[in-house]
Amino acid sequence: MDYEQILTETSEGVFTITLNRPDRLNAWTAQMGHELRAAFDVADGDDDVRAIIVTGAGRAFCAGADLEGGGDTFDYSKRDTAGAAGRDNGGEFSLRIFQSTKPVIAAINGPAVGVGATMTLPMDIRLAAEDARIGFVFARRGIIPEACSSWFLPRVVGISRAMEWVATGRVFDASEGLEGGLLRSLHPKAELLGAARALAREIAENTAPVSVALARRLMWRMLGADHPMVAHRADSRGMVARGQSADAVEGVTAFLEKRPARFPDRVSEGLPDVMPWYEEPQFE
């Protein structure tokens, strides 16, 4: 599809999405959310895409919601939500990321505030520019953390750090984000996207896509499991299914022959159902 507020590019198995409203510091709009969800659909539907990178154009990653509407910005009764009435569109995007079959890397090239910070939480790995600044500023705007961040943020950094950042609403530098476990690594701005692409290519060039997709699904879903036995049940089903696959034969054979593996299985052919008891919750 044609996008107006994002850019997409595919190269060497890596699908890069760039938030593209640099004149507004890539501020979030309902349209941007719609385009991002559509782009993830494209990436998930392409077996040649092995990893997704999300970054921003210009000097910001995303400065949060576009506040051009003034005091009515967050009044859902006075705007077209472009979706279910009263449903947070940042949360719709977070849930779309959660469902992704491809690993997702955030390359935070500049300020990431509000939804610009919360949208990165369901992404698997976050890299940032050394001068990036991050803020969960919602309490300073009279609202609450959105985009499912009350579920994601404590799981990423722990409840104490999450509440400190949310309750103060302060904007902090990238080094604090690194120390707090939010970020994987910091890079000079000119080297950030290259570092993200190198990490994405390591995934693309060395791993079985079905195994990565299934592992991603297991890792995220198990954050809500109430006992390790749930993981054991799912792992056991996964090992039985994957152990009989052409990928497993190729992976072992390639290792013994000391050559790169050429995994034949494709995500589009379906993932093993390793959690037959799982039911996707519905929005009510």
Side-chain angles (χ1 to χ4, degrees):
M1 63 176 290
D2 294 328
Y3 304 110
E4 295 181 6
Q5 300 189 3
I6 67 172
L7 301 172
T8 64
E9 176 191 8
T10 305
S11 176
E12 298 182 292
V14 182
F15 188 86
T16 302
I17 302 172
T18 304
L19 311 182
N20 191 38
R21 301 185 72 215
D23 56 321
R24 299 289 298 171
L25 300 181
N26 302 318
W28 175 273
T29 68
Q31 179 177 342
M32 178 182 284
H34 173 72
E35 293 183 6
L36 285 167
R37 295 195 303 274
F40 267 71
D41 289 345
V42 171
D44 266 350
D46 186 348
D47 281 327
D48 290 333
V49 170
R50 297 296 321 285
I52 301 169
I53 294 173
V54 181
T55 193
R59 65 186 184 89
F61 178 75
C62 173
D66 194 320
L67 301 180
E68 192 173 28
D72 291 337
T73 296
F74 300 110
D75 188 342
Y76 277 67
S77 70
K78 296 181 179 179
R79 62 174 171 152
D80 177 8
T81 61
R87 188 169 181 179
D88 166 42
N89 50 43
E92 290 181 290
F93 180 47
S94 287
L95 290 169
R96 180 61 189 85
I97 300 171
F98 183 78
Q99 295 293 343
S100 176
T101 58
K102 314 296 170 73
V104 185
I105 300 169
I108 304 172
N109 57 298
V113 178
V115 68
T118 57
M119 77 163 74
T120 71
L121 299 177
M123 300 180 191
D124 303 293
I125 306 167
R126 286 164 294 278
L127 287 64
E130 293 170 332
D131 62 351
R133 293 177 62 77
I134 300 164
F136 300 93
V137 299
F138 306 96
R140 297 193 180 200
R141 305 291 181 267
I143 56 173
I144 63 166
E146 36 59 277
C148 310
S149 56
S150 59
W151 193 91
F152 285 105
L153 185 58
R155 286 167 169 79
V156 172
V157 302
I159 186 64
S160 179
R161 180 79 66 165
M163 271 309 304
E164 177 189 345
W165 285 343
V166 166
T168 65
R170 61 184 172 82
V171 177
F172 52 90
D173 59 31
S175 61
E176 183 173 340
L178 179 66
E179 188 272 332
L182 180 65
L183 303 174
R184 175 257 198 188
S185 55
L186 306 184
H187 307 267
K189 182 169 289 190
E191 300 174 12
L192 173 66
L193 198 53
R197 285 174 174 158
L199 182 57
R201 286 198 302 272
E202 183 176 0
I203 296 169
E205 294 169 3
N206 296 289
T207 62
V210 173
S211 294
V212 171
L214 190 58
R216 185 181 196 272
R217 178 172 293 178
L218 285 167
M219 290 284 185
W220 280 110
R221 285 185 180 178
M222 287 307 146
L223 290 178
D226 60 3
H227 193 281
M229 178 58 76
V230 181
H232 180 52
R233 293 169 183 158
D235 295 347
S236 297
R237 286 176 169 86
M239 286 299 293
V240 169
R242 288 269 76 204
Q244 300 174 42
S245 70
D247 276 354
V249 174
E250 170 62 10
V252 173
T253 302
F255 174 77
L256 294 175
E257 295 178 353
K258 297 181 172 55
R259 60 169 175 80
R262 297 180 291 273
F263 295 108
D265 293 343
R266 295 291 174 261
V267 173
S268 62
E269 297 168 356
L271 302 181
D273 184 7
V274 298
M275 297 179 66
W277 59 86
Y278 180 83
E279 293 184 8
E280 188 71 27
Q282 300 300 308
F283 181 78
E284 298 177 359

